[in-house]
Amino acid sequence: MKVGEVIDAGSVLVRLDCTDYRIAEQRVEAEIAALEARIRLAERRLERTRKLEQQQTASEELLDQREADLAVLHAQRRGAMSQLENAKVNVSRCTIRSPYRAVVTARLAAVGEFADMGTKLVEIMDIEQLEISAQVPALDIETVEQAEEIYFEDTASRYAVMLRTVTPAVNTQTRNREVRLLFSNGPALPGAAGKLIWRDSQPHVSAKLLVRRGNDFGIFISNTGKARFHVIPGAQQGRTTPVDLPLDTVVITEGHYRLEDGQPVILYNPR
């Protein structure tokens, strides 16, 4: 197994030296065999004691003792069977297999190296059940959920994706929410980084058109030759903002930083 190698589900990744676990398994098996022999002997003794007790040649106390001895041996056998099951699990863990079709991304241990419990030996990456994890501002989650088309774009290409879920929690530091998406057609390479692109049916204004007047953010529009300041509730500086204005609204795009509400304006169209 080498870095970059593609392996199928169930393929062996690592084989560990299992001598100690196999010895423990054999020891428990021998203990169970001895207990089963003692159980058979105790059963015969109990049967003889029952016959003698019926003939009134053995005491009731002796019969109770034989029954207790057999019950103790059965309990010991159940305990030994649990130990055997644990030993078999330990032996099975000596062979580490891939849970899915994957690519080997790193080998973290050499042949013959000692590996304690919890030691990382190899890193693999699923190449079939790929998901995209993206951080989306909480204010944009609704537009992502309602978007008809969503794309993942990396440096190589653009891929159609579909929303699988939105995590029901907000990151307290970034105010983002994590979304998980699946590839609709062919997937990107595992580990690829890029950006999400989606189309929103609601009109937006560019962040560079936003200005602040008093405590409000908004844009300037032209209304009968005068500049009118249109407040956009919830607008944030530096962010593209949705608006509910008619599509034929004339938005002032030059000189708006120095404008005041009601100031006369002259429209200029270079065409």
Side-chain angles (χ1 to χ4, degrees):
M1 181 193 61
K2 300 179 180 179
V3 174
E5 182 178 347
V6 176
I7 54 175
D8 294 325
S11 298
V12 175
L13 295 172
V14 178
R15 293 188 188 277
L16 302 175
D17 183 0
C18 213
T19 302
D20 291 343
Y21 289 134
R22 292 193 185 281
I23 291 175
E25 181 184 17
Q26 293 170 1
R27 182 169 58 248
V28 176
E29 287 176 342
E31 181 180 346
I32 292 174
L35 283 171
E36 288 177 343
R38 293 172 60 188
I39 287 173
R40 290 193 294 270
L41 176 60
E43 288 174 342
R44 290 196 296 269
R45 284 179 173 176
L46 176 60
E47 184 62 26
R48 287 196 298 268
T49 303
R50 283 173 176 167
K51 292 180 179 179
L52 293 174
E53 195 272 340
Q54 291 174 355
Q55 298 171 2
Q56 298 183 351
T57 57
S59 65
E60 185 176 349
E61 181 180 356
L62 180 60
L63 178 61
D64 292 341
Q65 182 64 49
R66 294 284 189 263
E67 290 176 343
D69 291 343
L70 182 58
V72 169
L73 291 174
H74 277 299
Q76 292 177 349
R77 185 181 183 279
R78 288 193 296 271
M81 291 298 294
S82 297
Q83 294 178 11
L84 179 61
E85 186 66 25
N86 183 64
K88 290 182 179 296
V89 170
N90 289 333
V91 170
S92 68
R93 289 173 177 169
C94 293
T95 302
I96 302 173
R97 300 180 181 275
S98 175
Y100 39 70
R101 191 166 184 267
V103 60
V104 180
T105 58
R107 286 185 60 178
L108 306 176
V111 176
E113 183 177 341
F114 178 78
D116 201 356
M117 184 73 69
T119 302
K120 295 179 66 174
L121 304 176
V122 63
E123 289 183 354
I124 61 175
M125 181 179 293
D126 190 347
I127 59 176
E128 289 189 339
Q129 301 179 29
L130 296 180
E131 278 192 358
I132 300 171
S133 173
Q135 296 293 321
V136 176
L139 294 176
D140 293 336
I141 289 297
E142 184 176 353
T143 62
V144 174
E145 292 176 327
Q146 296 176 356
E148 296 182 359
E149 295 180 348
I150 309 177
Y151 297 94
F152 169 75
E153 186 175 81
D154 61 9
T155 56
S157 185
R158 176 180 288 189
Y159 306 86
V161 298
M162 56 183 178
L163 183 66
R164 183 179 71 81
T165 188
V166 178
T167 56
V170 177
N171 187 302
T172 56
Q173 295 180 345
T174 64
R175 309 310 299 170
N176 294 337
R177 293 178 66 182
E178 183 184 15
V179 298
R180 291 279 180 158
L181 307 103
L182 303 174
F183 289 98
S184 300
N185 299 315
L189 291 176
K195 60 183 178 180
L196 284 184
I197 300 173
W198 65 90
R199 188 184 303 276
D200 190 352
S201 59
Q202 184 176 7
H204 286 62
V205 294
S206 172
K208 66 181 182 180
L209 298 180
L210 289 177
V211 293
R212 184 170 185 171
R213 295 295 182 265
N215 294 324
D216 298 318
F217 279 101
I219 58 175
F220 276 101
I221 62 176
S222 176
N223 185 4
T224 64
K226 293 184 178 182
R228 297 299 182 189
F229 182 64
H230 178 77
V231 177
I232 304 178
Q236 296 180 358
Q237 188 174 12
R239 287 182 51 83
T240 300
T241 305
V243 294
D244 55 1
L245 292 170
L247 296 180
D248 59 354
T249 301
V250 178
V251 179
I252 299 175
T253 61
E254 297 291 341
H256 52 291
Y257 293 110
R258 295 186 298 272
L259 282 176
E260 295 296 335
D261 188 57
Q263 185 176 343
V265 295
I266 299 175
L267 298 182
Y268 170 72
N269 191 332
R271 290 183 298 175

